[in-house]
Amino acid sequence: MFPFARPLSPIAMQRIKLLLRLSVSVAILAVILRSIDVRPAWQVVVDARPEWLLLALVMQFSSTAASAYRWQLIMRNLGFGQSFSFYWDSYFKGMFFNQGLPTSIGGDALRVLDVAARGFRKRDALYGIAIDRITGLGALLLLALLAHLVNPDLLPVQVYRPILWLSAAGLLALAGLSLFGRLPRLERFPQLSILKTASDRLLQAVSGRRFVLMASSLLIPLLAMLGFFAIGRALGLRYDLLTYLAIVPPALILTVIPISIAGWGVREGALVGLFSLIGADRTVVLMMSLVYGLMLI
């Protein structure tokens, strides 16, 4: 169609993707800011109770440390050793690049390079990080499902049912992936070899110290929800922990979709939209989400 157009280089494509994600984050935040009164927003933060903010920081720090430990368990099951300090350093560095720097180099890519530098194949490192992501997503889905089953009247039925069914469908999909490699005569379909390998690696990754791995996977989002709860209390929101367990996980799951910078904008839009359904002050919810994002950095 354009005979004289030159194909874009990979670096140029990365820059375009980065610009598009940045545009999405800015656009969503701009829409939110237009729908609320921003004048008292700064005062909300000034009046925040510091003891609750400190507790939130401790909870998020503990959640990230537990994430590094879970990644260590997964990688050891895949045959990669190293001490906990290696995973601690690499995970926190990856988190910083994911949350704090608007670069085209993701934190997961840095973790792959860290593992590869110790002699492990990049492909196997990528499987380990993907499985770490999958187990984290599964834990979030499970928490959201349980919280909505316990408190079905929290959100309007037109919102409650999609969240409930999507959470259940996501968990079934993850369970199906774990069993995919066990299907008989799968070797007849070479085009499915990637899924079979992923399924085999997933089963291998959760084969050892299964109870500890499951417990840490559930502890990580629970600590994060306690962090949200503490930030909310610091800013004046008076909802119980069960409310956060029902509302925050679906919002965080949406940030997995790679359409913004580290979920900025998407997280704020989802939280403001869901909390407004139960009568929460939009300005306070927005500031809670922004404080949480800064706390991650």
Side-chain angles (χ1 to χ4, degrees), residues 25 28-39 41-42 44-45 228 231 235 237 264-273 275-276 280-294:
S25 294
I28 296 177
L29 289 173
V31 171
I32 297 173
L33 290 173
R34 289 186 63 183
S35 66
I36 66 174
D37 186 2
V38 298
R39 288 173 295 181
W42 176 247
V44 169
V45 178
F228 264 105
I231 296 173
L235 300 182
L237 293 177
W264 286 92
V266 175
R267 179 184 62 237
E268 285 70 34
L271 287 175
V272 169
F275 269 100
S276 64
D281 187 310
R282 292 187 174 189
T283 302
V284 178
V285 175
L286 174 61
M287 298 313 297
M288 177 184 68
S289 183
L290 295 177
V291 169
Y292 173 77
L294 293 174

Side-chain angles (χ1 to χ4, degrees), residues 136-148 167 171 214 218 253:
L137 178 60
L140 271 177
L141 289 170
L142 182 59
L143 279 181
L145 180 65
L146 294 176
H148 282 282
S167 299
L171 288 171
M214 292 177 59
L218 290 174
I253 290 170

Side-chain angles (χ1 to χ4, degrees), residues 35-297:
S35 66
I36 66 174
D37 186 2
V38 298
R39 288 173 295 181
W42 176 247
Q43 193 61 40
V44 169
V45 178
V46 171
D47 295 338
R49 298 174 60 182
E51 67 273 16
W52 283 104
L53 291 178
L54 178 60
L55 177 61
L57 182 61
V58 171
M59 291 297 101
Q60 185 55 51
F61 187 85
S62 301
S63 177
T64 306
S67 298
Y69 177 66
R70 180 186 64 193
W71 185 37
Q72 180 187 25
L73 293 176
I74 290 172
M75 294 302 292
R76 282 190 172 181
N77 288 338
L78 293 176
F80 184 72
Q82 306 301 320
S83 64
F84 177 67
S85 62
F86 167 82
Y87 297 95
W88 172 281
D89 293 342
S90 184
Y91 204 96
F92 272 83
K93 181 169 62 177
M95 281 284 292
F96 177 69
F97 268 79
N98 276 335
Q99 298 292 331
L101 298 178
T103 66
S104 59
I105 303 176
D108 289 345
L110 285 176
R111 287 201 281 161
V112 169
L113 294 176
D114 282 344
V115 173
R118 301 297 179 96
F120 212 57
R121 293 195 307 175
K122 291 182 180 179
R123 181 189 302 176
D124 294 327
L126 186 59
Y127 276 121
I129 292 170
I131 292 169
D132 178 57
R133 289 279 193 174
I134 288 173
T135 53
L137 178 60
L140 271 177
L141 289 170
L142 182 59
L143 279 181
L145 180 65
L146 294 176
H148 282 282
L149 288 175
V150 172
N151 194 4
D153 300 324
L154 178 65
L155 296 174
V157 65
Q158 62 267 29
V159 177
Y160 163 76
R161 285 181 178 175
I163 291 178
L164 189 68
W165 288 114
L166 288 174
S167 299
L171 288 171
L172 288 175
L174 295 180
L177 177 61
S178 65
L179 299 175
F180 187 83
R182 297 184 178 182
L183 293 177
R185 301 178 182 178
L186 199 61
E187 291 78 8
R188 294 183 178 182
F189 306 95
Q191 62 271 27
L192 300 178
S193 59
I194 295 179
L195 285 177
K196 183 181 185 306
T197 302
S199 178
D200 292 339
R201 295 298 174 86
L202 178 59
L203 289 174
Q204 181 184 355
V206 300
S207 60
R209 305 190 69 181
R210 186 169 299 176
F211 176 78
V212 177
L213 183 58
M214 292 177 59
S216 62
S217 295
L218 290 174
L219 179 64
I220 291 164
L222 182 58
L223 289 170
M225 295 308 103
L226 287 170
F228 264 105
F229 173 78
I231 296 173
R233 282 300 178 95
L235 300 182
L237 293 177
R238 292 292 182 263
Y239 297 105
D240 57 25
L241 180 59
L242 185 60
T243 300
Y244 288 87
L245 289 172
I247 290 181
V248 176
L252 294 184
I253 290 170
L254 288 177
T255 64
V256 175
I257 304 173
I259 60 173
S260 64
I261 297 294
W264 286 92
V266 175
R267 179 184 62 237
E268 285 70 34
L271 287 175
V272 169
L274 290 173
F275 269 100
S276 64
L277 294 175
I278 61 174
D281 187 310
R282 292 187 174 189
T283 302
V284 178
V285 175
L286 174 61
M287 298 313 297
M288 177 184 68
S289 183
L290 295 177
V291 169
Y292 173 77
L294 293 174
M295 196 166 287
L296 284 180
I297 297 174

